[in-house]
Amino acid sequence: MTTMTTSTLPSVDTLRERARDALTAIGWRGDLGAPGGPGLQASTPITGDVLFSVAESTTDQADAAIAEAAQAFSVWRSTPAPVRGALVARLGELLVAHKAELATLVTLEAGKITSEALGEVQEMIDVCQFAVGLSRQLYGRTIASERPGHRLMENWHPLGVVGVITAFNFPVAVWAWNTAVALVCGDTVVWKPSELTPLTALACQALIERAAADVGAPREVSRLIQGGREIGERLVDDPRVALLSATGSVRMGQQVGPRVAQRFGKVLLELGGNNAAIVTPSADLDLAVRAIVFSAAGTAGQRCTTLRRLIVHSSIADEVVSRIVDAYRQLPIGDPGTDGTLVGPLIHAAAYRDMVRALEQAGAEGGEVFGGERQDVGDESAYYVAPAVVRMPAQTDVVHAETFAPILYVMTYDDLDEAIAMNNAVPQGLSSSIFTLDMREAERFLAADGSDCGIANVNIGTSGAEIGGAFGGEKQTGGGRESGSDSWKAYMRRATNTVNYSTELPLAQGVHFG
Ligand code: UN1
């Protein structure tokens, strides 16, 4: 497949300068080490080079951060929720003011195209606004008591320290989903970002600390620890961490979930997706193809909501595939910071190797591959690929696995029940879509025996969810819900209170005792 590539990339010095300028404008004051220095290597997938070395937390520092957050919690939990909201409102204002600079860092570290990087920061702003409103809406219920002179009610209280572990692909938005909501709920936060995105993390930390200073909130309400697995494990195992909210692979979730459960901590898991879209004969194909291309090739296939499986009615499959392949040919691939680019790089060599391996396996399992070639952009250490479309004879093994790369497997169906069964036949359950103009098909997809995913859409793709809804999925996706709707309840504990304002002591269930 011939593709459009922009073959020239900015020099590493230019990228370093951009990173430094953005951090300075955001107000981060610290030292960045030279590449190869001690600590984490902050690299960019744009060229594959290391930009700086960044201080890494020791396990003692991680423990100290948890202790500070636990200490701050004792003050923060008693701060009125609308006052807590003022901190998040200020964070939102700072994000508006520094949107472009933070997006620049997202582009540098995660390789997102500018528009998607700006969109990610907008998602942070949106969730801040949502959380500020929420700070006056942490409602409990009053329940009719069966006893005279009694009041039965629910009160929601802050939980404690929330540990947040995030992935490279949404290096700032997922922190904001958790932090904005946790802070208005009266929790304090300790964040361990991906080792691949330490600079965006420094920027976010600078902004939250500035917001805290501006509104007079304790600086320790939100802490940052940077490092690898060993550092993340401090959050997993520390009993002071009341809730661990972790985004990442199913494997990570399988390790983290039981460990937190062992100490009766709470978890909120947002793990892998293997999202499908069904395209029915009645679909508006112009709209469907646009949605499919954005969901499958956007972010170079590196969203957990990326469209990975297309289940197309056999009568239109050839047309749909040929339209997608045509659209893919016109996707400019290259420097994500250049206007017009739609597909940036894969995050690293391992991601590329996984893609190659999956395409080989797909071929061996009977797939016919279009695209997927590595592009001649940058040198050996940068991994730019053409998005791939693979026509599969069935949902074989490779289709059941999530490969974090732009591979869209296409299968056909003849009967909608069969298509829904295929949608549900994978271990993950994050997002799903149906393209149809037939309301019976749409409603069937959304019904209890329809899509089994946490997100089920009609006539839009699987990715790009708004923050107002609860975000997350079922099965191996982990079951957690973040950001909007009533996801806040995961960040609080519920107390059921019964108040007797009578002079009698009637017992529930009509029990008499003495
Ligand atoms: C993720 O990939 O971890 O729905 C989050 C979306 C974005 C969030 C994705 N709003 O695609």
Side-chain angles (χ1 to χ4, degrees), residues 188-376:
T188 56
V189 174
V190 180
W191 178 28
K192 200 220 67 86
S194 162
E195 298 131 274
L196 300 172
T197 54
L199 301 178
T200 54
L202 293 174
C204 290
Q205 186 60 23
L207 292 173
I208 185 72
E209 286 187 10
R210 201 162 123 206
D214 288 353
V215 302
R219 185 169 165 268
E220 294 76 16
V221 292
S222 193
R223 304 275 76 202
L224 169 67
I225 54 179
Q226 299 243 46
R229 192 191 161 110
E230 213 191 341
I231 295 302
E233 283 174 350
R234 306 312 285 188
L235 293 175
V236 172
D237 294 329
D238 195 312
R240 291 170 297 186
V241 176
L243 169 68
L244 184 77
S245 174
T247 302
S249 66
V250 171
R251 243 184 71 196
M252 181 272 278
Q254 280 164 336
Q255 288 165 4
V256 159
R259 271 169 73 164
V260 179
Q262 180 69 27
R263 62 172 177 84
F264 296 102
K266 295 185 198 303
V267 286
L268 196 169
L269 297 175
E270 207 256 278
L271 310 173
N274 191 353
N275 317 298
I278 297 172
V279 189
T280 73
S282 73
D284 173 342
L285 285 190
D286 290 339
L287 179 149
V289 169
R290 286 198 347 252
I292 289 164
V293 170
F294 170 67
S295 276
T299 331
Q302 300 169 109
R303 289 193 191 211
C304 56
T305 51
T306 290
L307 177 62
R308 309 204 179 278
R309 299 181 292 135
L310 200 62
I311 303 166
V312 196
H313 193 268
S314 54
S315 63
I316 52 169
D318 289 346
E319 181 184 355
V320 170
V321 169
S322 102
R323 287 173 73 159
I324 295 169
V325 170
D326 275 356
Y328 272 16
R329 283 202 182 105
Q330 289 159 47
L331 288 178
I333 304 166
D335 173 25
T338 298
D339 278 352
T341 299
L342 291 178
V343 180
L346 292 179
I347 189 71
H348 47 32
Y352 175 66
R353 281 197 299 270
D354 287 347
M355 179 169 176
V356 170
R357 213 174 298 132
L359 290 177
E360 280 168 11
Q361 188 182 342
E365 291 175 4
E368 187 188 353
V369 181
F370 304 89
E373 307 86 0
R374 187 162 175 192
Q375 306 295 293
D376 186 16

